[in-house]
Amino acid sequence: MKSKIKVGLIRVITLQDEELLKLHGRIIEENFPYMKVISRCIPNQPFGIYDDKTEQEAIPKIVALGLEMAKNDIKALIISCAADPGVEDLRSKLKIPVIGAGSASAHLALGIADRIGVITISMEVPKVIEDILVDKLIAKATPKNVKTTLDLMKKENEKYILEAALQLKRKECNAIILACTGFSTIRISSKISRKTGVTVIDPVIAAGLFAWYSTLIA
Amino acid sequence: MKSKIKVGLIRVITLQDEELLKLHGRIIEENFPYMKVISRCIPNQPFGIYDDKTEQEAIPKIVALGLEMAKNDIKALIISCAADPGVEDLRSKLKIPVIGAGSASAHLALGIADRIGVITISMEVPKVIEDILVDKLIAKATPKNVKTTLDLMKKENEKYILEAALQLKRKECNAIILACTGFSTIRISSKISRKTGVTVIDPVIAAGLFAWYSTLIA
């Protein structure tokens, strides 16, 4: 048996709770047992990234954290956010593969299907996803009552998430991207897939998939 | 333990040898043990696809074979060729995910890196790969003495393949796509990766990766 490969993961929200901090890493380890994921989060952003201003504030923190984490023998670095903040910058500064949950999701969707739907938490599809999908982006939907990643945690909103997915199915989307890693946190991708029969792209698993391949030989 | 998920795989070259026919499927099963790959090949193309004419001849055969295979409870269909012949057509006709080795390779590369090199067996990069990479396609290289997929099987050409990879490394490519599934047949991707330190995209493993995700919930 191969020894585990260490991969770094950056949460773009300040989390005090150790379990919550490690949750995305744990989802990746469950799906790709030969990786060990080291999770860290950026400082002083208790509400994460939710608009342009908070994204601009986060990017230098993500880049600084990524450069620091890369000193510790990790074989790849995951930025666990569907907007890919800092990914381009870190790719130019680091030798190891840098994987963004947004670009990973869009590329995974396009490798499987050609009519892509996106579920967002605000009205906008993250730019990185839009730029990759171009004319394969058929439709988007936002669950009722969901404005931030924290709204995804409210059990009563689950039905609205499933409704948004069914809207995309009615528009004949053959893959659905969940465009916020908060959807991964609530582990809803399988449920949506079973409900709709459509391939659902979970952004954290997508990032894990690309990291797994990138470290296959490392 | 989950029972194995059946996935279909089409070889775009007519093969009599059962072992050779099943080889790509076996590579996928080794990397993704929970899939069982059913392999079939198209009739009357003993030299496979090597120019526009042979590609045009192959496409209707691939589409007909894909439609026939899809009747047998497969959960996804892989077209094991870096040119993605028939993929677009089959996606419009089938409900299951259709994965092309060419588009899977290009999307896998872009999810990991941003300066992509391509090793081809002729002077041309397959159009589907070029169209996906756009300005991220930094350089291409063709190993000396390699004109067809069969030339890859000659042991004496291995050094030229490694040389082509080193050329791409010198151009600072941070991922290298092997743009012919014949490179998968000779299982050379790990060797190139160890030699260059660059992520190497094996087209059959790439297709397997996308098929694996697409069937994760199926």
Side-chain angles (χ1 to χ4, degrees):
Chain A
M1 167 131 178
K2 265 181 147 168
S3 65
K4 298 207 177 196
I5 304 270
K6 272 205 296 185
V7 166
L9 182 144
I10 295 180
R11 297 296 307 267
V12 303
I13 180 169
T14 308
L15 294 166
Q16 308 300 340
D17 181 333
E18 192 77 2
E19 285 309 302
L20 210 50
L21 172 65
K22 287 183 177 165
L23 182 60
H24 290 180
R26 204 150 285 161
I27 290 169
I28 292 174
E29 289 171 349
E30 285 165 17
N31 283 281
F32 307 95
Y34 107 81
M35 291 198 289
K36 178 173 169 52
V37 182
I38 318 290
S39 299
R40 299 275 303 272
C41 69
I42 57 170
N44 304 322
Q45 295 215 201
F47 305 103
I49 290 176
Y50 50 89
D51 58 15
D52 277 353
K53 182 168 171 287
T54 47
E55 185 171 353
Q56 291 313 313
E57 281 168 10
I59 289 176
K61 300 179 197 176
I62 294 166
V63 172
L65 182 55
L67 295 176
E68 190 195 320
M69 291 176 81
K71 291 177 193 159
N72 294 311
D73 194 35
I74 55 173
K75 300 297 183 201
L77 178 66
I78 292 169
I79 311 303
S80 196
C81 173
D84 267 30
V87 169
E88 214 179 307
D89 202 352
L90 280 166
R91 279 189 179 164
S92 70
K93 292 182 162 72
L94 290 176
K95 290 273 178 205
I96 57 170
V98 179
I99 319 285
S103 52
S105 296
H107 285 299
L108 179 55
L110 288 177
I112 293 171
D114 55 3
R115 294 181 55 84
I116 318 295
V118 178
I119 305 187
T120 64
I121 56 167
S122 59
M123 283 312 291
E124 271 179 61
V125 174
K127 188 171 182 307
V128 64
I129 293 178
E130 206 161 27
D131 286 351
I132 293 167
L133 298 182
V134 197
D135 60 325
K136 306 280 167 52
L137 171 55
I138 302 302
K140 58 181 180 172
T142 305
K144 199 178 143 184
N145 288 351
V146 173
K147 299 270 173 284
T148 76
T149 185
L150 300 172
D151 295 329
L152 293 172
M153 317 269 255
K154 296 174 188 155
K155 191 67 189 166
E156 69 267 26
N157 286 335
E158 186 179 301
K159 61 177 178 296
Y160 300 125
I161 299 170
L162 293 169
E163 260 174 31
L166 288 167
Q167 274 176 42
L168 297 176
K169 182 190 166 80
R170 281 192 292 272
K171 290 182 180 162
E172 292 176 42
C173 294
N174 50 13
I176 294 173
I177 295 174
L178 305 179
C180 172
T181 57
F183 290 106
S184 306
T185 304
I186 61 168
R187 294 174 182 266
I188 200 165
S189 56
S190 317
K191 197 175 279 184
I192 302 176
S193 187
R194 281 194 302 269
K195 184 92 176 178
T196 59
V198 174
T199 302
V200 174
I201 308 295
D202 179 294
V204 167
I205 301 179
L209 188 85
F210 284 80
W212 175 78
Y213 185 87
S214 79
T215 60
L216 199 53
I217 292 149
Chain B
M1 167 132 179
K2 262 177 148 171
S3 67
K4 298 208 176 197
I5 303 271
K6 272 206 295 186
V7 165
L9 182 145
I10 295 181
R11 297 296 307 266
V12 303
I13 180 169
T14 308
L15 294 165
Q16 308 300 337
D17 181 333
E18 191 77 2
E19 286 309 303
L20 210 50
L21 172 67
K22 287 183 178 166
L23 182 60
H24 290 179
R26 205 151 284 161
I27 290 169
I28 292 173
E29 289 170 349
E30 284 165 17
N31 282 281
F32 307 96
Y34 105 80
M35 290 197 290
K36 178 174 168 52
V37 182
I38 317 291
S39 299
R40 299 275 302 270
C41 69
I42 57 170
N44 304 322
Q45 295 216 199
F47 304 101
I49 291 177
Y50 50 89
D51 58 15
D52 278 354
K53 182 168 172 286
T54 45
E55 185 172 352
Q56 291 313 313
E57 280 169 12
I59 289 175
K61 300 180 196 174
I62 293 165
V63 172
L65 182 53
L67 294 176
E68 190 194 321
M69 289 176 81
K71 290 177 195 159
N72 294 312
D73 192 34
I74 54 174
K75 300 296 182 201
L77 178 66
I78 292 168
I79 311 304
S80 196
C81 174
D84 267 30
V87 169
E88 212 179 309
D89 202 352
L90 280 166
R91 279 189 180 163
S92 70
K93 293 183 162 74
L94 289 176
K95 289 273 179 205
I96 57 171
V98 179
I99 319 284
S103 52
S105 296
H107 285 298
L108 179 55
L110 288 177
I112 294 171
D114 55 3
R115 294 181 55 85
I116 318 295
V118 179
I119 305 187
T120 63
I121 56 166
S122 60
M123 285 311 293
E124 271 179 61
V125 175
K127 188 171 181 308
V128 64
I129 292 178
E130 206 161 28
D131 287 351
I132 293 167
L133 298 182
V134 199
D135 60 326
K136 305 281 168 52
L137 172 56
I138 302 300
K140 59 181 180 174
T142 305
K144 200 179 142 185
N145 288 352
V146 172
K147 300 271 174 281
T148 76
T149 186
L150 300 173
D151 295 328
L152 293 172
M153 316 271 254
K154 296 174 188 155
K155 189 69 188 164
E156 69 268 26
N157 286 336
E158 187 179 300
K159 59 178 179 296
Y160 301 125
I161 298 170
L162 292 170
E163 261 174 30
L166 287 168
Q167 273 176 41
L168 298 177
K169 182 190 167 78
R170 281 192 292 273
K171 292 185 178 159
E172 293 176 40
C173 294
N174 50 14
I176 294 173
I177 294 174
L178 305 179
C180 172
T181 58
F183 290 106
S184 307
T185 304
I186 61 168
R187 293 173 183 266
I188 200 165
S189 56
S190 318
K191 198 175 279 185
I192 302 175
S193 187
R194 280 194 302 267
K195 185 90 176 177
T196 59
V198 174
T199 303
V200 175
I201 308 295
D202 180 294
V204 167
I205 301 179
L209 188 84
F210 285 81
W212 176 77
Y213 185 87
S214 78
T215 59
L216 199 53
I217 291 149

